[in-house]
């Protein structure tokens, strides 16, 4: 579940239903403006739409987080930033795997057969996931432990 969704649910739990609605309204208006700027004025086309969507999601989260923090007289901002830095470091390792794969395994994409492409992509996904999780475990990302526990619970239900 995206973090913004968690904040929206928290506002509803606190009986502050208008706050997420107003933030969403502002986000929609800002999204229309950014879509127009990035897509037409700057000529970024579909990349402008993607960039605008990312900007709006970030804006929406930051505004909801700021309002929730103000309402509750504080949140665990330091813990969130530490976790974000750890995830960014693990993501950087994942980016390195993808860049290496693009350079060595997928460089001849246009001339490769389907099975070679499939193997290279599947290998990249598997190695990338293992590197990300390995870095996450090494950096002690707590959410990975929660994910592991949830997977174990799910596997117990299946068997």
């Amino acid at each position: 579940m995206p973090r913004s969704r968690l904040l929206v649910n928290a506002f509803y739990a606190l009986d502050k239903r208008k706050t997420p609605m107003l933030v969403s309204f502002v986000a929609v208006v800002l999204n229309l403006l950014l879509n127009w700027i990035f897509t037409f004025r700057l000529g970024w086309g579909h990349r402008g739409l993607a960039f605008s969507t990312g900007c709006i999601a970030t804006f929406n989260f930051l505004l909801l987080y700021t309002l929730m923090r103000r309402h509750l007289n504080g949140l665990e901002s330091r813990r969130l930033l530490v976790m974000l830095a750890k995830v960014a470091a693990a993501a950087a390792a994942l980016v390195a795997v993808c860049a290496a794969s693009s350079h060595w395994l997928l460089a001849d994409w246009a001339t490769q057969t389907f099975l070679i492409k499939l193997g290279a992509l599947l290998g990249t996904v598997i190695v990338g996931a293992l590197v990300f999780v390995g870095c996450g475990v090494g950096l002690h990302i707590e959410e990975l432990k929660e994910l592991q526990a949830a997977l174990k619970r799910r596997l117990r239900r299946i068997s």
Side-chain angles (χ1 to χ4, degrees), residues 10-155:
F11 276 107
Y12 277 88
L14 294 170
D15 202 27
K16 298 283 186 184
R17 290 173 168 76
K18 290 183 182 179
T19 303
M21 181 189 66
L22 293 173
V23 169
S24 293
F25 178 74
V26 171
V28 167
V29 172
L30 187 58
N31 194 20
L32 289 172
L33 177 66
L34 290 180
N35 283 340
W36 179 76
I37 290 171
F38 295 144
T39 305
F40 299 112
R41 297 292 292 168
L42 297 177
W44 291 1
H46 66 281
R47 289 177 186 91
L49 293 175
F51 187 65
S52 174
T53 300
C55 289
I56 294 306
T58 303
F59 166 80
N60 200 19
F61 169 77
L62 290 174
L63 185 55
L64 286 171
Y65 186 84
T66 301
L67 293 171
M68 182 60 74
R69 186 170 186 239
R70 191 175 296 159
H71 179 73
L72 296 178
N73 296 323
L75 287 173
E76 295 182 8
S77 298
R78 180 183 169 115
R79 184 171 174 239
L80 178 66
L81 289 173
V82 167
M83 187 268 301
L84 184 61
K86 290 177 182 181
V87 170
L94 173 60
V95 167
V97 167
C98 293
S101 175
S102 179
H103 182 71
W104 286 300
L105 296 177
L106 303 170
D108 298 322
W109 181 264
T111 60
Q112 291 175 334
T113 66
F114 173 76
L115 288 178
I116 291 174
K117 289 178 186 179
L118 179 64
L121 287 173
L122 188 58
T124 301
V125 169
I126 291 169
V127 171
L130 290 173
V131 166
F132 181 83
V133 171
C135 288
V137 168
L139 293 168
H140 305 289
I141 296 175
E142 293 176 29
E143 285 74 9
L144 285 176
K145 293 175 187 172
E146 294 173 17
L147 178 62
Q148 180 185 19
L151 288 173
K152 283 182 180 178
R153 284 192 305 272
R154 176 72 58 130
L155 289 174

